[in-house]
Amino acid sequence: MPGTTCQGGRFGDTCSYSCHCTPHCNQTTGVCNGACDPGWFGGNGQTCQRGNVAYNKKAASTPPTNYAKLHGWTADKAVDGNRDQHVFGNSCFHSHSTAPNPTWTVDLGQRYRIHDVRIYNRVNNIKLIRTAVLSLSNSSSSTPGVTCYTFPSDTAKTDNSVYDVTCDGTGRYFTITHSTRLNLCEVEIYGMDNCS
């Protein structure tokens, strides 16, 4: 609701998020001009965020394929902390090319206010991230989520095949969907606050 004045280091439309910085953050955006509290990072003109809330959380893919399991390219590889982007380095999730509309989902264990996402794509395979859709859901991993980012069809290739995107929303289940196949070597999700 416009015009809301948040008290006690809170921000957002309903003052439901904590700033985690000193001095207090912008009451609308959460941007902090000072340093973040211990255990949080960012600040100095950015929001304060927790570390990677996806690390070692339960991940799944649909449709599940024996192909991925046979090669060790299971969904959990994208949240194991290993940023190696070579698919044969046993560190990436890989959906089979014959699986229609592959989906990868991580259960964050609780609801978080999300802002920044970093995706370590398979090296030199830009086509595997173009048009990918990122979404958040609060109820279950099978419930269609609210889209928070869609990679453009002309997403530029980067030197390191790493993509930093903004996925601003709240949810427990974070999902990436593609029309053909997915190769995700690591997905890092930075939470601004837990919402439990």
Side-chain angles (χ1 to χ4, degrees), residues 19-21 23-26 30-36 43-48:
C19 287
H20 300 287
C21 70
H24 293 313
C25 64
N26 179 293
V31 169
C32 293
N33 290 325
C36 295
N44 299 313
Q46 300 177 1
T47 56
C48 288

Side-chain angles (χ1 to χ4, degrees), residues 4-195:
T4 299
T5 301
C6 299
Q7 302 295 320
R10 310 290 289 176
F11 75 95
D13 291 342
T14 59
C15 301
S16 55
Y17 305 114
S18 299
C19 287
H20 300 287
C21 70
T22 304
H24 293 313
C25 64
N26 179 293
Q27 293 182 354
T28 302
T29 64
V31 169
C32 293
N33 290 325
C36 295
D37 295 341
W40 295 74
F41 73 96
N44 299 313
Q46 300 177 1
T47 56
C48 288
Q49 301 178 72
R50 283 194 182 278
N52 178 14
V53 296
Y55 175 65
N56 269 345
K57 296 294 173 49
K58 183 178 179 183
S61 63
T62 57
T65 65
N66 289 330
Y67 176 81
K69 192 179 289 185
L70 176 68
H71 290 87
W73 296 330
T74 52
D76 61 310
K77 296 293 185 179
V79 289
D80 64 359
N82 186 341
R83 296 172 175 164
D84 183 347
Q85 294 167 265
H86 296 88
V87 74
F88 295 106
N90 198 29
S91 65
C92 301
F93 162 69
H94 185 343
S95 67
H96 194 278
S97 58
T98 61
N101 301 312
T103 298
W104 176 89
T105 300
V106 61
D107 178 354
L108 302 176
Q110 63 186 40
R111 292 173 61 226
Y112 281 96
R113 166 82 190 270
I114 304 300
H115 192 266
D116 294 331
V117 176
R118 175 172 286 176
I119 297 173
Y120 292 79
N121 194 44
R122 181 178 175 183
V123 70
N124 295 324
N125 276 268
I126 183 65
K127 64 185 177 192
L128 302 178
I129 201 67
R130 286 180 175 154
T131 71
V133 177
L134 283 54
S135 61
L136 288 165
S137 174
N138 291 318
S139 54
S140 76
S141 59
S142 60
T143 303
V146 175
T147 298
C148 58
Y149 186 81
T150 301
F151 279 91
S153 59
D154 62 349
T155 297
K157 180 179 177 182
T158 63
D159 289 338
N160 59 6
S161 299
V162 176
Y163 296 87
D164 290 309
V165 300
T166 298
C167 177
D168 193 7
T170 302
R172 172 175 172 168
Y173 300 93
F174 175 86
T175 299
I176 301 176
T177 306
H178 200 275
S179 58
T180 56
R181 61 185 167 140
L182 285 168
N183 274 177
L184 304 169
C185 295
E186 195 68 18
V187 177
E188 298 175 349
I189 301 170
Y190 301 97
M192 295 171 67
D193 216 343
N194 68 50
C195 306

